[in-house]
Structures are given as C-alpha cells and as structure tokens.
Amino acid sequence: MDVLRLTIALLMMGFSALSAYVDTWSIQVSPEVRTIEGYPAVLPCSFTHPTHTLHSSMNVVWRLGHTRTSTVLFRCSSLNGSQQCETGPDQDQRYRLEGNHREHDLTLRISSTALQDNGRYYCGVELPDQPHGSYENKMGTRLRVEAPPRILSLSIAGSVDTGLKALCHVQGSPLPDVQWTGLDEVLDSESEAAPLPQEAPDRHRTTSQLLDIQPGGQYTCTASNPLGNDQATVYILHPSPEMSKNHSSRDDALTVLLLLGIALAVKFLLFMGGLGGLFIKWHVGSKSLSQSSK
C-alpha cells in the first residue's frame, strides 16, 4: 500500500513538473559570440512555448541593450500563420533572420561587422493577438568584434621654443599596446584612453604621446594586439638656414621699426615741448606789452 501511494505521488510530481514546463516560455541564446571586423556574426536564439499557446501572428525583435535607451536593430512580422517574416521599409539590410521563426529559431545574422557592433544583444517574441504576449531573453548575447591595430594618424604638436611632442592615434580590439622607438631604442611615452561608456565605439581607440622630442630625430609608433601590429614613422627636420635667417631678419626689422617709432615719439614730444615754450614766451610777451601800454 505504501509503495502504491509512493508511486502515485511520484507520478503526480512528474505530471506537475511537465505541466510547469509546458506552461512556461523559454528562450535560449549563446552567452557570447566572437567575430573579426568585416566578417559576419551569427547570434543564435531559439524558444519554446506552452503547448496550448496559439501564435499564428508573431513579431521577432532583436535589440541592442536592455534599458530604456536600447535600440531596436531588427524587427519582422509574420501574420496569419505565414512562413515569411516581413521587415519594414526602413530595416537595415545588414541584419536578417537566419533561422525559421515557425520552427522556433530566431537566429540573427549581421553582415560586415564593425567595431561599432560591439555590445549585448537581446532577442524576443511578441504575440499581437495575446495580452502581455511579449517574451525576451534576460541575459542577452555579448557580441565581441575584434580588429587588428590600425594607426589612424601620427602628428607633431608644439614648437621648438615651447617643446615638441608626437601624437599617435590608434584603433583596435582588444585595445592595442603602443610603443615608441627612436634609433633602435625604446622610448618612454604616455598613453591615454578617453573615459567613455562601456558600449561606446571609441573605447577601442587610444592616443599615445611622446614628449620632449628633438629636431633631427626619427620616431616610430608601433601598435600591437593579438591580431597583429601596425607601424608609422615620423621624421623631424632641423630648421633650414634660410628659415633661421628669415626669422633673424624679421626680428631685426621689428627692432628697427620699434627704435624708429621710439625716435619719432621723442621728436614729437620735443616738438610739442618747443611749441609749449613758444606759447609761454608769446603769452608772457603779450602780457608785458599790455602792462607797458597802461
């Protein structure tokens, strides 16, 4: 009798578990997908649903981000049991449904990925004919787009008088390491990555600066990460004699003009002083004549 009761209890527990399973929506995704810049990325997503759920019409939605500021990247609609999931006229053609939504496969394909595609993606299903019929994966899939280093620019800032520095702007994922060399020796430098939000595209860029560089030097910037390296070299020429002569001539000309201006100012003051003296003499003479006539 006890064995029979135990068997019945186990069967009831099994039916309860099965009922709980079939009455629950479930969406499965891959935690992370990696690709290389320029290549496609495939984000797997599949779902199960309660057996009694009718979903003749459904929408498939893929979002980037999981907050109020998330962006809808892909959306298609399948109405009246159609095997086709139609997108809107404004849909970015880089995104397309790779799987068959009628077979519970919502896999998304992104073609020609770029560093800007890095982020966490969420797939979901919407049932227009059911109240509150919206289901979305809560964990999301982390897409990592990797790229070899690329030197965006190499420039010189400052002047000989105030000090020269070299600036090397690089890009890559993972973020490249930057090293400076000059005449077969490694030079100390400073690298700075802007404090940007985690999903911002510019977080894959950094700027390295080399201070106190000198005319006549040759400086090489090398950026590297596990996918490769990139290199650029800058040469700093000495000021030419003509430039130095012209610079000296300009200084001499400014000095002459300044001295000439001072001389003219002094002459003007002396001239005004002379006029003042004549005016005083005239005034005194006029006063004397006036008194004599009286």
Side-chain angles (χ1 to χ4, degrees):
M1 193 68 173
D2 293 337
V3 174
L4 180 60
R5 289 179 179 177
L6 179 60
T7 303
I8 294 174
L10 290 174
L11 288 175
M12 292 180 63
M13 291 175 61
F15 286 133
S16 298
L18 179 61
S19 176
Y21 173 77
V22 298
D23 284 340
T24 303
W25 277 78
S26 176
I27 298 180
Q28 298 82 33
V29 299
S30 294
E32 182 176 273
V33 171
R34 291 177 179 264
T35 188
I36 298 178
E37 183 182 26
Y39 287 83
V42 177
L43 310 182
C45 177
S46 61
F47 70 93
T48 58
H49 63 88
T51 55
H52 57 78
T53 300
L54 299 178
H55 53 277
S56 61
S57 297
M58 62 185 297
N59 301 325
V60 178
V61 182
W62 276 89
R63 303 176 187 270
L64 176 61
H66 194 55
T67 62
R68 294 181 178 179
T69 58
S70 64
T71 303
V72 176
L73 299 177
F74 178 84
R75 183 185 183 92
C76 67
S77 299
S78 178
L79 305 177
N80 301 321
S82 171
Q83 294 294 322
Q84 300 296 324
C85 198
E86 302 293 340
T87 60
D90 298 330
Q91 175 62 54
D92 188 341
Q93 297 303 309
R94 288 201 310 130
Y95 307 96
R96 68 179 178 86
L97 200 61
E98 181 83 352
N100 186 341
H101 63 288
R102 289 301 175 186
E103 296 180 358
H104 304 171
D105 188 353
L106 310 181
T107 298
L108 181 72
R109 179 185 178 89
I110 307 175
S111 62
S112 301
T113 56
L115 289 177
Q116 291 81 356
D117 293 321
N118 275 282
R120 191 170 294 276
Y121 292 72
Y122 298 84
C123 71
V125 179
E126 296 176 353
L127 305 179
D129 54 356
Q130 290 190 14
H132 309 292
S134 179
Y135 307 91
E136 185 177 72
N137 173 260
K138 303 303 181 183
M139 298 301 295
T141 298
R142 181 73 170 89
L143 175 61
R144 296 187 183 275
V145 180
E146 300 181 345
R150 182 158 59 96
I151 295 179
L152 302 176
S153 66
L154 179 59
S155 59
I156 303 298
S159 66
V160 176
D161 296 331
T162 60
L164 295 171
K165 64 179 180 180
L167 300 174
C168 189
H169 303 279
V170 304
Q171 174 180 281
S173 177
L175 193 66
D177 294 324
V178 180
Q179 186 177 70
W180 289 90
T181 55
L183 299 178
D184 299 327
E185 63 174 340
V186 179
L187 304 174
D188 293 332
S189 62
E190 298 179 359
S191 295
E192 179 180 353
L196 297 168
Q198 183 179 0
E199 301 299 340
D202 285 347
R203 67 192 178 96
H204 302 292
R205 296 182 180 182
T206 184
T207 299
S208 178
Q209 59 179 359
L210 184 64
L211 305 177
D212 300 326
I213 59 178
Q214 301 299 322
Q218 172 182 325
Y219 304 94
T220 299
C221 172
T222 302
S224 59
N225 71 7
L227 297 179
N229 61 73
D230 194 13
Q231 192 175 81
T233 301
V234 62
Y235 303 89
I236 304 178
L237 302 177
H238 284 288
S240 64
E242 292 185 359
M243 291 180 61
S244 301
K245 184 177 180 181
N246 292 337
H247 183 71
S248 177
S249 300
R250 286 197 302 269
D251 290 344
D252 293 342
L254 289 174
T255 302
V256 170
L257 290 175
L258 180 60
L259 293 176
L260 181 60
I262 293 174
L264 291 175
V266 171
K267 287 185 178 181
F268 178 75
L269 291 175
L270 291 175
F271 176 73
M272 293 301 294
L275 288 178
L278 291 175
F279 176 76
I280 293 173
K281 289 182 179 180
W282 176 80
H283 182 70
V284 172
S286 299
K287 187 176 181 180
S288 300
L289 290 175
S290 176
Q291 291 177 352
S292 298
S293 61
K294 288 180 180 181

